[in-house]
Amino acid sequence: MLRRVVMLSLSFSLASYSLGAQEQRMIKDDDTLRYTYTPLIADDANASIKMSGGKVTKDNFLRRVVAYFERSTEDRTFEKRIDITFAGGPSYSKNTSFGIGLLASGLYRTDRADSITQPSNVAIFANVSVSGFYAIGITGNTIWSRNRHRVNYAASFSSTPRTMWGVGYEAGRHNPEVNYVEKSYRINADYLYRVMPNLFLGAALNFQHTRGIKFDNTVYLDNEKTRYTATGIGLIAEYDSRDFIPNAWRGVYLSVRELFFPKGLGSCGKSLWRTTVTADWYRQVWKGGVIATDLYAEFNSEGTPWPMLARLGGSNRMRGYYQGRYADNDLITAQVELRQHIWRRIGGVIWGGVGNVFSKLRCFDWSQTLPNYGVGLRWELKKRVNVRFDYGFGKQTSGFMLNINEAF
């Protein structure tokens, strides 16, 4: 009797287990290995189908979109080759007017066993607007060998309706505008090698081809050509202790870049040089609050053609100014920004800054320094990767910008 009860109990247990487990068999050479696994129900956050009253139901589209973006801020770079998120919607900027933009932001690790090195990042974007503007491009950096090697890159193609006022502060303030269309191809690539903790040395490659068409008139070109090609090669020295390049909370970034544009590798008619200096500092001042400062300077050689001049304004520095209204050989800007986390994925910023364009350093005029300030909203697309909405103000100007990653 006891033996029958034991056998029945054992049979019942095996039958119950077989409902949740499946047996597999693998034969290799003369050995046989049996193993079992138990299928698991997918996590609700990942699944687009659920059990309801014994029936299989699908989440509606809105719920799936919400679930998609809920998981986008998790750090999944240790489990995926690349953790990428897509987004899109309306866009606007002072230069390009209203449009539709699409972007993909991805984080990845070249060594998923390395939890010390910050992840690499890539952003791919495409935009088209009612003004006739269109652009497509990619930016990012790749970090490997425990931060010993870095490659930074950016490539873009664009066709942009633009406005020109001439060269210099006085031209930007008082000249009537001239409209044209600028078609541009740009490629930038840097390789950096760490020689000491946080200190990097490397080489830079820059290629740009710009063509201006449909000018109202060419009076501001001063007999220059309407198209130019230039290839630059150079050296870089950087000190970088930032904790995360696209959105630093702490650290220092110092960069000196020297580019040489040989006459034989372009159509500028002469050899040119460009020096850029960047000094950034970041610090957390209280819970969720970060102070960020940025000093930027660009110096070009005399005879630099109009498409390669330093242009004040844009989406990163002197936000709110039309990029290119104030243009000259040299430029210096400075800004301070307070970034504050507000709630969940939402954050905000306020900033203030100044900028100046001039033909050469000895011609710098403090009275021609332009003010800049503004406010912005941040939405976290991925972990510490923000979509930013900024509204900037300047001297008799203002403008709205939509972009990805912090301004600096």
Side-chain angles (χ1 to χ4, degrees), residues 98-170:
F98 290 96
I100 296 176
L102 298 173
L103 63 88
S105 176
L107 298 175
Y108 60 96
R109 296 179 184 273
T110 55
D111 181 1
R112 282 182 280 172
D114 178 9
S115 61
I116 305 299
T117 305
Q118 61 176 290
S120 305
N121 74 88
V122 60
I124 303 171
F125 62 89
N127 200 308
V128 60
S129 78
V130 296
S131 67
F133 162 79
Y134 59 88
I136 185 170
I138 181 172
T139 64
N141 60 69
T142 299
I143 304 171
W144 73 97
S145 294
R146 294 187 177 271
N147 201 27
R148 186 170 294 276
H149 302 273
R150 290 183 177 184
V151 170
N152 305 319
Y153 55 88
S156 65
F157 165 70
S158 64
S159 177
T160 311
R162 296 190 61 88
T163 304
M164 179 183 290
W165 285 264
V167 178
Y169 173 84
E170 293 296 337

Side-chain angles (χ1 to χ4, degrees), residues 39-286:
L40 301 177
I41 298 176
D43 191 337
D44 285 349
N46 300 323
S48 60
I49 59 172
K50 297 180 181 179
M51 297 297 296
S52 177
K55 298 180 179 179
V56 177
T57 61
K58 286 187 176 182
D59 282 341
N60 60 39
F61 176 75
L62 181 59
R63 287 181 180 272
R64 279 182 282 173
V65 170
V66 171
Y68 176 74
F69 284 110
E70 278 181 348
R71 297 214 66 193
S72 68
T73 56
E74 298 176 6
D75 186 353
R76 305 177 67 190
T77 57
F78 294 103
E79 54 187 87
K80 302 177 67 174
R81 289 187 177 180
I82 180 168
D83 182 15
I84 194 164
T85 300
F86 297 88
S91 65
Y92 176 82
S93 78
K94 193 174 183 65
N95 286 43
T96 61
S97 187
F98 290 96
I100 296 176
L102 298 173
L103 63 88
S105 176
L107 298 175
Y108 60 96
R109 296 179 184 273
T110 55
D111 181 1
R112 282 182 280 172
D114 178 9
S115 61
I116 305 299
T117 305
Q118 61 176 290
S120 305
N121 74 88
V122 60
I124 303 171
F125 62 89
N127 200 308
V128 60
S129 78
V130 296
S131 67
F133 162 79
Y134 59 88
I136 185 170
I138 181 172
T139 64
N141 60 69
T142 299
I143 304 171
W144 73 97
S145 294
R146 294 187 177 271
N147 201 27
R148 186 170 294 276
H149 302 273
R150 290 183 177 184
V151 170
N152 305 319
Y153 55 88
S156 65
F157 165 70
S158 64
S159 177
T160 311
R162 296 190 61 88
T163 304
M164 179 183 290
W165 285 264
V167 178
Y169 173 84
E170 293 296 337
R173 290 284 296 142
H174 304 295
N175 281 358
E177 60 187 47
V178 167
N179 297 311
Y180 70 104
V181 175
E182 182 177 287
K183 295 185 178 292
S184 177
Y185 303 83
R186 296 177 183 271
I187 299 174
N188 295 289
D190 303 338
Y191 168 75
L192 295 163
Y193 178 78
R194 191 184 70 207
V195 294
M196 294 176 62
N198 299 324
L199 181 62
F200 297 83
L201 298 177
L205 174 67
N206 175 287
F207 172 82
Q208 59 185 91
H209 171 77
T210 304
R211 179 166 62 104
I213 62 174
K214 299 181 181 179
F215 284 89
D216 290 346
N217 64 68
T218 58
V219 61
Y220 296 146
L221 295 186
D222 195 23
N223 297 319
E224 292 185 17
K225 296 182 294 187
T226 58
R227 69 173 68 190
Y228 284 94
T229 300
T231 303
I233 52 177
L235 300 175
I236 313 168
E238 287 188 357
Y239 178 88
D240 190 358
S241 62
R242 292 173 295 178
D243 59 325
F244 185 52
I245 293 174
N247 181 10
W249 290 352
R250 63 182 181 274
V252 173
Y253 175 67
L254 304 173
S255 172
V256 178
R257 176 190 303 262
E258 187 72 31
L259 280 176
F260 176 66
F261 298 89
K263 177 181 177 180
L265 295 180
S267 61
C268 298
K270 61 183 297 186
S271 296
L272 304 168
W273 58 264
R274 175 185 298 157
T275 303
T276 56
V277 179
T278 308
D280 296 341
W281 175 77
Y282 308 87
R283 180 171 181 174
Q284 289 183 287
V285 289
W286 52 69

